[in-house]
Amino acid sequence: MTMQVTMTVNGEEVSREIEPRLLLVHFLRDEIGLTGTHWGCDTSNCGVCVVLLDGVPAKSCTVLAAMAGGHEIQTVEGMAQGGTLHPVQEGFFQEHGLQCGFCTPAMMLTAQALLEVNPDPSTTEIREAIYGTACRCTGYENIVRAIRWAAEHPALEEVTA
Amino acid sequence: MQTPAPFEYERATSVDNALALLERHGPEARVVAGGHSLLPMMKLRLAGPEVLIDINDLADLDYIRVDGDDIAIGAMTRHAALLSSPVLAEHYPIFRDAERVIADPVVRNRGTFGGSVCQADPSEDLSAVTSALGATMVIRSTEGVRTVSAREFHTGPYETVVGPAEILVEIRVPIRPACGSAYEKVDRRAGDWAVAAGGCFLTLDTGGTVTDVGIGLTAVGAPHFCAPEAEAALRGHPISDEAIVAAAAKAAAATNPATDQRGPADYKRHLAGELTKRALRRALVRARGEGA
Amino acid sequence: MTATDVPTSPVPTSPVPMSAAGNPIGFGRMLRKEDARFLRGKGNYLDDVNLPGMLHGAILRSPYAHARINSIDISAAQAHPKVRAVITGEVLATLNLAWMPTMSYDTQAVLATDKVRFQGQEVAFVVAEDRYSARDALELVEVDYEVLPAVVDATKALDADAPVIRTDKEGKTDNHIYDWETGDSAACDEVFNRPDVVVSKADILYPRSHPSPMETCGSVASMDPVTGKLTCWITSQAPHAHRTVYALVAGLPEHKIQVISPDIGGGFGNKVPVYPGYVCAVVGTIVTGKPVKWMEDRFENLATTGFARDYHMQGEIAATRDGKILALRTHTLADHGAFNATAQPTKFPAGFFSIFTGSYDLEAAYGKVTAVYTNKAPGGVAYACSFRITEAAYFVERMVDILAHDLQMDPAELRMKNLIRPEQFPYQTKTGWEYDSGDYLVTLQATLDAAGYKELRAEQVENRARYEQTGEGTLLGIGLSFFTEGVGAGPRKHMDILGLGMADGCELRIHPTGKAVIRLSVQTQGQGHETTFAQIVAHELGLPPEDVEVVHGDTDQTPFGLGTYGSRSTPVSGAAAAVVSRRVKEKARIVAAAALECSPSDLEWELGRWQVKGDPEKAKTIQEIALLAHSSLELPEGVEGHLDASAVYNPPNLTYPYGAYLCVVDVDPGTGAVKVRRFIATDDCGPRINPMIVEGQIHGGLAEGIGMALMQVIAFDENGNCLGGSFMDYLLPTSLECPSWELEATVTPSPHHPLGCKGVGESATVGSPAAVVNAVMDALAPLGVRHADMPLTPAQVWLAIQGRPARTDLAFT
Ligand SMILES: Cc1cc2nc3c(=O)[nH]c(=O)nc-3n(C[C@H](O)[C@H](O)[C@H](O)COP(=O)(O)OP(=O)(O)OC[C@H]3O[C@@H](n4cnc5c(N)ncnc54)[C@H](O)[C@@H]3O)c2cc1C
Ligand code: FES
Ligand code: FES
């Protein structure tokens, strides 16, 4: 019992024959090999699986690949343009916004989506935007600073990382 | 990671199509809206529908609008939309209060109003809100449309009047002039379900008498998520802080909380009173136009 | 040259030169080298390892805390079309693998044969073609259990009628594991019996918690049937120790085992032990001839792997009426779960808990720890605890605050009065530790100043007056803690795990063009080793850090060592890196002398070059020397070519980082809700190789402290069901509970570490819970609250206000 699903991932159309029960996170990781999206729980609590679904952060462990059919998905692998890091990625680098790196893709995508609707968020607004993803390493402070860094450096020209 | 058992997937193209699919597949079929209650339960294998009918394409169920004397909200409206709606902020800030503390921003991007109240989790927040506001739930089947008051919608934990071949399509809330509303919640941590929560609305006449009031409570075993004795103690009486405190005590007395890791029953009963008191005070300030 | 003839404390005093790439050639803020891959989603974590033909394993686990297994029927699971193998304890028993040794010389079932002894215990292992099918097949295994009464409350584990858990141990008739003593009981009695002393008593529980890194544990095992080589990718903080344990458990030749720790999504001690699932994956690959991946789900991680704490500490503290602390003693009950599987140095069954005298100069101290089996998951030492210093620091800092409460004394003043004085270092504690260095008063003062302590106390006076009048609003609480940790185990003569001495190797290779590769025995889980260790080499040799590649986490590529935990990377491997660099430097001197046609003693070192004393123009840079060392240059008799070197560092003592923390909370007595308003942390870990990374480590630990103090707990109901088995119930702090951390630093080098550095990875986890709890207790003092156990959830705070705080290790009643 399989079905065909087609979606756009990081701007490219992908199509696979899948079981309807396949979770989006496993579709991305196991079917198309984009392992930058992680998972960390079974109860939709941890948020390390966040991807952008039509530009909006969503927990990819709580969306069926089938439900994502026809939609646009962006993962961490789609953040850098050409060789240029997204300002959010550069901010995480500059401000030590990551340690083990496991929550980082989710945090960065959430930040990217935040800055698209609110280019100059306060630290409180940042904290309110990211609390759906848990980080065990950083204590959040440097993540907040990283997102502020990105807000202050919106148009980055060069790759430095 | 835990994974769901196999099932079939259908994507509905319209409400009629969804209803037809429900009829065709029978009681083992379930609709999936945001999926943020259903999919975790399926992963943990606490739920195992044979067919999932995806209603996310039903954009015509995603709206918040003023419709005559009511605000009409489509069942597929996401939490995030309820949180940011200017219409709701103007008429019923209780929604904003509640939505700020429902789950987390990522869950709120997917979870829907319809899914929340149909899940009927005994700690669910919007059920307390609809109950407080005396909302009307609009349910459709291939037979037609029927409406049920929010206070008759839930028949028990995880149970509602919505039949296996029916879909909740809309929630209607009457617009009330000179109204204040508010929601208060205690959780163990941001994003956690309520230890206890409650909300209310109040309308006053110019003399300061309570013309109407609704109180909703969640996670405390309040039958139908409401507190009618407390409402009766206020309705038709002049508002005062003493009256609020007395009503809050009545609200607490009518609860029947369960002890769990969120807290013992007596604590939750205390909270029911404390939060009712705080919500009423804040609603009063808003009803008087004295604060947000 | 040995570790002992290296010069001490070369603390950089002026800013170091920068490399062409803009990195400090030595100590200083440097952006992390490892970030490049993580930022792009190109990390390689365990679940990212995919091999051709790989199968997926899943573990069937016990739903009961204590039950006899009557039978297991695997036929339906075996018949599943995608299942390749179903392994039970019975199968393992035929291979002599049903039980494995723990890191505390106990045994632990790999797959249960006779009984299950905790909820979630491993019962059967299914190997299938994909992960979904493996999960499906678990539902097809039928187990007939006979449920037995469970031992849940540790305080009842030694009751005469308590069911015996370890019936597998011959002659075992109770649940006792060990009694362990430290300090001088008689000396303590003498102090406590003095007529004029004030004695404060308290029962303090540090409840069971779990490190729960965002990445769960897992393994990919692949046996090459042709070469007989077993390669295991494991979420391991100690790959070399794992390799040796595998060799011992499975009887495989150690040179045919390669353990690879890929990128690790957080460890915190959770990834030190060897878990049954790892062994199952190995058996799975042997049985099927295919690579087998096993990856825990979150329930498995929280409910079955290395938990932390679970210490019930009865304490008594004696002081003079004017606040001179004289003695401290404890009888502690340690709940070890169903198997004694704590990973800690052999001679320290209670870890380093005996450091419970903390940062104070006492006349006497005595501690006794009684450890018991219960029907709970095994573990004990995990979660950034520095081998139970977390429990010790929490204990003493609560006792000191309770004493302050009873004496009606300001807790800052009480600490100031009793902290060890700078002139007392090296300080011998009453329980046998030698603290290497410290200047405690300065550090405490730095925290008080940064916090504005006086102003906060003044605000509190007003706050309390307002509350008393109105009965509404929040109460302000101010909590202090001062901790001392001992980190960086060994020395090897005192410290070993399973007989493996705690010393660590390091190899440094300098390529002809002056680029370097350093190979470490320790493994990063986010601490930034690839950057910090490059900086150590840069500091010693003057190489740009971008020219130094750091290799770690692969036993075929790196020298033996015990791994990363207990904050030991910098104290042990960091020292090894300095020592090995100095060996290279000495070799380079000989080569440079040959090239400059002078005697090595004519040369002096200037960062990155050997130059002739008095004639700095005549010099060879380290890069030039590297090429010369590989060239046809004639070297003196007996001098080999190349610059490569290796070292094993056996630390002479632990390093003793310390710090002073202050937490400000606002407590809502109407709801019990606690809001952390501010957190000020002054840490002294000696010189900071990369201050950015050090601060990041502290930030993370402070968040953990908030978690433990306010929300995280693994409690059990009366049947032994785990009540913290998901992130819905086991609550991790989010960005909203954590304040913007305010950090200060003082710098007191370790006199025995080649770089003066002390460990810092766990300092904040050790020091912060007490500050938070002390703050909440301080807030509630006007309501008559003296002590309540963690976590201080809203319910627990409210119960404390009602005068009946709960036992947080058990279900609420
Ligand atoms: C981490 C996390 C934290 C959460 N915290 C909170 C919280 O604090 N407070 C709170 O109230 N909620 C909380 N939730 C629940 C969240 O609000 C969910 O979004 C909501 O409960 C379900 O909405 P959904 O659209 O996802 O429903 P789904 O999961 O899609 O459906 C839930 C149920 O309703 C049925 N259903 C859905 N739509 C309809 C319809 N239109 N007609 C008939 N039946 C329908 C489905 O068949 C299913 O049985 C949390 C969820 C998560 C994952
Ligand atoms: S994996 Fe935890 S929320 Fe998706
Ligand atoms: S960086 Fe490790 S979990 Fe966030």
Side-chain angles (χ1 to χ4, degrees):
Chain A
M1 195 183 50
T2 58
M3 60 180 286
Q4 187 76 20
V5 66
T6 305
M7 67 184 89
T8 306
V9 179
N10 299 328
E12 265 178 57
E13 191 173 283
V14 293
S15 195
R16 290 287 187 285
E17 190 73 22
I18 59 161
E19 271 194 275
R21 61 169 165 167
L22 187 70
L23 300 168
L24 178 59
V25 63
H26 289 138
F27 178 84
L28 295 170
R29 292 177 50 80
D30 298 343
E31 294 293 324
I32 59 176
L34 295 178
T35 53
T37 303
H38 303 139
W39 61 267
C41 73
D42 309 303
T43 48
S44 308
N45 288 96
C46 77
V48 302
C49 60
V50 167
V51 298
L52 301 185
L53 174 63
D54 298 331
V56 174
K59 296 186 177 178
S60 64
C61 71
T62 317
V63 176
L64 297 172
M67 293 169 82
H71 292 273
E72 284 194 21
I73 302 296
Q74 194 208 310
T75 69
V76 65
E77 288 92 344
M79 283 188 86
Q81 291 304 317
T84 310
L85 289 185
H86 188 280
V88 167
Q89 291 172 302
E90 188 65 35
F92 272 69
F93 180 50
Q94 294 292 336
E95 295 292 343
H96 189 30
L98 64 152
Q99 289 181 26
C100 78
F102 206 69
C103 70
T104 312
M107 285 289 188
M108 293 195 305
L109 288 165
T110 307
Q112 181 194 323
L114 169 69
L115 294 176
E116 264 151 38
V117 293
N118 181 359
D120 190 22
S122 68
T123 56
T124 307
E125 286 170 329
I126 293 171
R127 284 178 184 274
E128 281 176 353
I130 63 171
Y131 83 82
T133 298
C135 174
R136 222 43 186 147
C137 302
T138 64
Y140 304 104
E141 175 65 20
N142 285 351
I143 293 178
V144 174
R145 290 184 196 167
I147 299 171
R148 276 304 312 161
W149 191 99
E152 284 157 22
H153 301 78
L156 252 180
E157 308 288 293
E158 286 166 75
V159 193
T160 46
Chain B
M1 184 164 159
Q2 300 183 35
T3 55
F7 53 82
E8 274 178 58
Y9 173 85
E10 301 260 20
R11 193 185 279 206
T13 51
S14 66
V15 175
D16 286 335
N17 176 237
L19 292 170
L21 288 168
L22 278 175
E23 287 221 321
R24 165 140 44 95
H25 291 290
E28 294 309 314
R30 292 272 278 276
V31 298
V32 60
H36 275 56
S37 288
L38 187 52
L39 290 177
M41 293 212 312
M42 289 168 64
K43 280 191 269 179
L44 303 176
R45 305 209 174 186
L46 300 171
E50 287 169 11
V51 183
L52 267 195
I53 299 166
D54 180 354
I55 57 171
N56 280 280
D57 281 358
L58 309 191
D60 53 338
L61 293 186
D62 180 2
Y63 56 84
I64 303 168
R65 61 182 170 232
V66 175
D67 183 2
D69 296 337
D70 291 344
I71 297 173
I73 307 170
M76 284 305 292
T77 305
R78 315 265 172 194
H79 289 297
L82 296 171
L83 176 60
S84 61
S85 159
V87 173
L88 291 177
E90 180 191 340
H91 295 282
Y92 285 113
I94 182 174
F95 276 101
R96 197 188 54 209
D97 291 354
E99 284 294 353
R100 275 177 66 97
V101 290
I102 289 177
D104 60 62
V106 189
V107 171
R108 294 199 293 257
N109 286 337
R110 294 291 296 168
T112 65
F113 199 160
S116 296
V117 292
C118 289
Q119 177 67 20
D121 187 295
S123 303
E124 202 275 314
D125 289 290
L126 291 178
S127 298
V129 173
T130 51
S131 198
L133 298 183
T136 300
M137 320 301 270
V138 183
I139 300 165
R140 262 186 68 182
S141 67
T142 51
E143 314 274 283
V145 177
R146 65 184 178 118
T147 60
V148 176
S149 112
R151 294 188 178 188
E152 284 159 13
F153 184 76
H154 297 99
T155 50
Y158 308 100
E159 278 174 27
T160 70
V161 298
V162 180
E166 289 185 315
I167 291 178
L168 174 72
V169 289
E170 190 179 79
I171 297 98
R172 300 181 74 86
V173 184
I175 296 174
R176 301 176 172 98
C179 177
S181 66
Y183 196 79
E184 294 276 350
K185 172 168 167 175
V186 169
D187 48 23
R188 296 173 299 176
R189 189 211 60 197
D192 186 24
W193 293 79
V195 177
C200 67
F201 82 86
L202 270 178
T203 56
L204 301 172
D205 66 15
T206 45
T209 295
V210 178
T211 49
D212 200 1
V213 56
I215 297 172
L217 289 168
T218 192
V220 289
H224 304 290
F225 294 93
C226 58
E229 298 84 356
E231 292 165 356
L234 289 169
R235 197 177 289 115
H237 297 282
I239 193 71
S240 68
D241 203 55
E242 295 70 45
I244 285 176
V245 170
K250 281 204 157 55
T255 61
N256 185 21
T259 293
D260 60 18
Q261 281 316 89
R262 292 192 168 74
D266 58 345
Y267 167 59
K268 294 184 182 180
R269 188 171 296 115
H270 159 79
L271 281 183
E274 182 69 25
L275 297 180
T276 302
K277 179 181 82 184
R278 293 183 186 194
L280 284 167
R281 283 179 180 167
R282 199 132 60 90
L284 178 61
V285 170
R286 286 172 175 165
R288 289 175 170 156
E290 289 166 356
Chain C
M1 193 165 85
T2 66
T4 47
D5 52 12
V6 293
T8 55
S9 311
V11 189
T13 45
S14 52
V16 304
M18 301 301 268
S19 74
N23 293 317
I25 304 181
F27 291 13
R29 185 180 202 270
M30 173 175 159
L31 301 184
R32 297 200 323 169
K33 295 167 64 135
E34 43 269 85
D35 287 358
R37 60 180 187 275
F38 296 135
L39 290 169
R40 292 168 173 83
K42 300 289 182 204
N44 185 37
Y45 301 91
L46 201 282
D47 201 23
D48 305 344
V49 175
N50 288 309
L51 303 179
M54 189 175 76
L55 304 174
H56 293 262
I59 295 178
L60 182 75
R61 295 179 177 275
S62 166
Y64 304 110
H66 200 191
R68 188 163 292 117
I69 296 178
N70 288 330
S71 64
I72 304 178
D73 181 355
I74 58 172
S75 51
Q78 278 175 319
H80 187 288
K82 294 201 168 164
V83 167
R84 296 290 192 85
V86 182
I87 297 159
T88 61
E90 213 172 298
V91 177
L92 292 185
T94 63
L95 305 166
N96 208 15
L97 280 176
W99 292 79
M100 63 178 190
T102 70
M103 295 205 182
S104 289
Y105 291 97
D106 194 356
T107 48
Q108 173 174 0
V110 176
L111 292 174
T113 46
D114 53 339
K115 289 201 297 186
V116 287
R117 293 174 171 83
F118 64 92
Q119 189 192 42
Q121 190 180 333
E122 299 77 5
V123 175
F125 186 66
V126 173
V127 184
E129 285 168 25
D130 62 80
R131 58 174 107 222
Y132 284 49
S133 300
R135 293 259 159 202
D136 292 345
L138 291 183
E139 300 191 326
L140 303 175
V141 180
E142 296 273 347
V143 186
D144 178 17
Y145 294 103
E146 181 187 331
V147 179
L148 302 170
V151 181
V152 178
D153 183 344
T155 66
K156 296 187 177 139
L158 296 178
D159 287 1
D161 60 350
V164 178
I165 297 167
R166 295 303 299 277
T167 41
D168 57 295
K169 291 169 99 82
E170 241 186 73
K172 190 84 184 138
T173 56
D174 61 19
N175 296 314
H176 184 259
I177 306 178
Y178 64 76
D179 279 313
W180 183 75
E181 286 181 291
T182 181
D184 186 335
S185 174
C188 250
D189 288 348
E190 187 277 312
V191 176
F192 276 89
N193 291 336
R194 285 182 204 161
D196 53 341
V197 296
V198 180
V199 175
S200 288
K201 300 184 188 191
D203 286 356
I204 295 174
L205 170 66
Y206 204 137
R208 186 174 276 240
S209 66
H210 196 280
S212 56
M214 295 319 296
E215 177 202 38
T216 60
C217 302
S219 166
V220 175
S222 177
M223 172 68 97
D224 185 327
V226 178
T227 61
K229 178 151 184 179
L230 175 68
T231 306
C232 294
W233 288 259
I234 311 175
T235 49
S236 172
Q237 297 177 226
H240 290 278
H242 277 206
R243 185 190 63 203
T244 305
V245 172
Y246 276 36
L248 297 173
V249 172
L252 297 167
E254 198 170 357
H255 65 298
K256 293 282 192 187
I257 306 174
Q258 178 182 14
V259 173
I260 300 172
S261 284
D263 287 326
I264 304 242
F268 316 109
N270 186 226
K271 292 169 180 169
V272 177
V274 174
Y275 294 123
Y278 301 164
V279 180
C280 288
V282 172
V283 175
T285 182
I286 293 174
V287 169
T288 62
K290 300 277 180 194
V292 172
K293 177 187 280 185
W294 167 72
M295 196 78 217
E296 282 175 349
D297 62 37
R298 183 53 67 182
F299 168 79
E300 296 182 286
N301 181 252
L302 284 167
T304 76
T305 62
F307 75 91
R309 331 290 190 240
D310 222 339
Y311 261 34
H312 300 247
M313 304 173 285
Q314 295 177 340
E316 288 183 275
I317 190 165
T320 62
R321 198 150 289 285
D322 62 352
K324 174 75 192 103
I325 304 173
L326 302 171
L328 179 62
R329 64 185 173 195
T330 177
H331 186 187
T332 289
L333 180 67
D335 184 341
H336 281 235
F339 308 102
N340 184 18
T342 59
Q344 61 206 353
T346 307
K347 290 172 193 155
F348 299 82
F352 299 165
F353 181 66
S354 60
I355 202 165
F356 68 80
T357 57
S359 315
Y360 307 101
D361 181 27
L362 305 182
E363 283 183 31
Y366 171 70
K368 177 175 176 185
V369 177
T370 300
V372 296
Y373 291 119
T374 59
N375 287 114
K376 302 178 190 170
V381 171
Y383 207 0
C385 73
S386 303
F387 297 122
R388 297 211 188 270
I389 296 178
T390 328
E391 288 93 321
Y394 179 67
F395 170 71
V396 59
E397 288 307 293
R398 278 301 297 135
M399 289 307 295
V400 167
D401 252 44
I402 287 168
L403 177 68
H405 175 277
D406 293 355
L407 290 172
Q408 305 255 307
M409 222 175 136
D410 181 280
E413 188 191 331
L414 181 61
R415 285 181 173 81
M416 279 291 184
K417 201 169 177 133
N418 290 283
L419 286 173
I420 300 164
R421 308 284 138 175
E423 62 277 10
Q424 290 176 288
F425 289 91
Y427 180 83
Q428 300 287 336
T429 78
K430 292 291 181 284
T431 52
W433 302 98
E434 185 185 298
Y435 293 177
D436 56 353
S437 62
D439 196 349
Y440 290 177
L441 300 174
V442 171
T443 303
L444 177 54
Q445 194 59 50
T447 292
L448 297 176
D449 292 346
Y453 188 69
K454 274 207 192 93
E455 294 75 11
L456 282 170
R457 286 290 175 205
E459 182 189 341
Q460 187 179 49
V461 170
E462 278 176 36
N463 167 271
R464 286 180 174 174
R466 189 211 23 80
Y467 185 83
E468 206 167 306
Q469 262 179 11
T470 64
E472 303 265 345
T474 56
L475 281 166
L476 170 64
I478 305 155
L480 267 173
S481 89
F482 197 105
F483 67 92
T484 300
E485 280 194 281
V487 301
R492 55 198 289 266
K493 72 172 172 191
H494 296 317
M495 294 176 194
D496 68 271
I497 290 182
L498 281 181
L500 303 172
M502 300 186 81
D504 281 59
C506 188
E507 292 168 8
L508 180 57
R509 207 185 277 180
I510 311 288
H511 294 322
T513 55
K515 312 289 181 198
V517 177
I518 186 161
R519 296 167 190 281
L520 310 175
S521 61
V522 290
Q523 153 67 25
T524 179
Q525 309 116 41
Q527 298 93 333
H529 289 19
E530 289 166 37
T531 307
T532 301
F533 281 83
Q535 289 184 267
I536 294 173
V537 176
H539 169 75
E540 293 293 336
L541 292 179
L543 289 172
E546 59 270 21
D547 288 355
V548 184
E549 186 74 6
V550 177
V551 177
H552 60 101
D554 180 342
T555 57
D556 275 10
Q557 298 277 337
T558 59
F560 188 87
L562 273 256
T564 300
Y565 44 84
S567 303
R568 59 193 300 283
S569 284
T570 299
V572 187
S573 271
V579 170
V580 81
S581 301
R582 289 172 196 180
R583 285 188 186 159
V584 167
K585 202 196 292 179
E586 284 308 309
K587 275 192 170 181
R589 179 183 207 158
I590 297 169
V591 176
L596 294 166
E597 296 177 339
C598 62
S599 149
S601 60
D602 294 337
L603 297 176
E604 63 182 4
W605 177 255
E606 196 36 61
L607 188 65
R609 50 197 263 150
W610 282 111
Q611 63 195 27
V612 175
K613 288 176 189 163
D615 188 4
E617 296 295 292
K618 282 183 76 182
K620 292 286 173 198
T621 66
I622 187 75
Q623 288 86 353
E624 290 166 341
I625 300 169
L627 195 55
L628 289 165
H630 291 83
S631 72
S632 55
L633 172 74
E634 191 139 351
L635 294 171
E637 194 69 27
V639 176
E640 297 171 356
H642 305 181
L643 290 180
D644 305 346
S646 69
V648 177
Y649 189 76
N650 177 27
N653 186 7
L654 301 174
T655 65
Y656 293 83
Y658 58 90
Y661 291 174
L662 189 146
C663 179
V664 184
V665 297
D666 296 296
V667 181
D668 182 342
T671 61
V674 174
K675 171 101 193 137
V676 177
R677 188 203 293 184
R678 289 177 66 196
F679 202 108
I680 298 96
T682 309
D683 274 90
D684 193 323
C685 57
R688 298 178 174 201
I689 299 166
N690 186 329
M692 176 190 85
I693 287 179
V694 169
E695 284 175 16
Q697 294 293 297
I698 295 166
H699 285 167
L702 295 176
E704 307 284 321
I706 301 266
M708 283 178 281
L710 299 182
M711 59 196 84
Q712 292 171 197
V713 67
I714 304 276
F716 293 84
D717 73 9
E718 68 275 18
N719 297 318
N721 294 311
C722 174
L723 301 175
S726 81
F727 280 158
M728 206 156 64
D729 305 303
Y730 190 72
L731 302 169
L732 308 183
T734 75
S735 54
L736 291 183
E737 286 75 39
C738 294
S740 178
W741 314 109
E742 301 169 55
L743 302 193
E744 302 289 328
T746 57
V747 180
T748 310
S750 167
H752 63 75
H753 186 279
L755 297 165
C757 298
K758 301 179 175 188
V760 73
E762 298 161 312
S763 291
T765 324
V766 166
S768 56
V772 182
V773 174
N774 287 344
V776 177
M777 292 304 117
D778 181 57
L780 298 179
L783 306 179
V785 177
R786 181 170 173 267
H787 176 71
D789 289 321
M790 300 185 281
L792 297 169
T793 58
Q796 175 71 336
V797 168
W798 185 80
L799 287 168
I801 296 170
Q802 309 311 305
R804 47 186 172 97
R807 271 275 299 271
T808 48
D809 56 334
L810 305 174
F812 277 120
T813 49

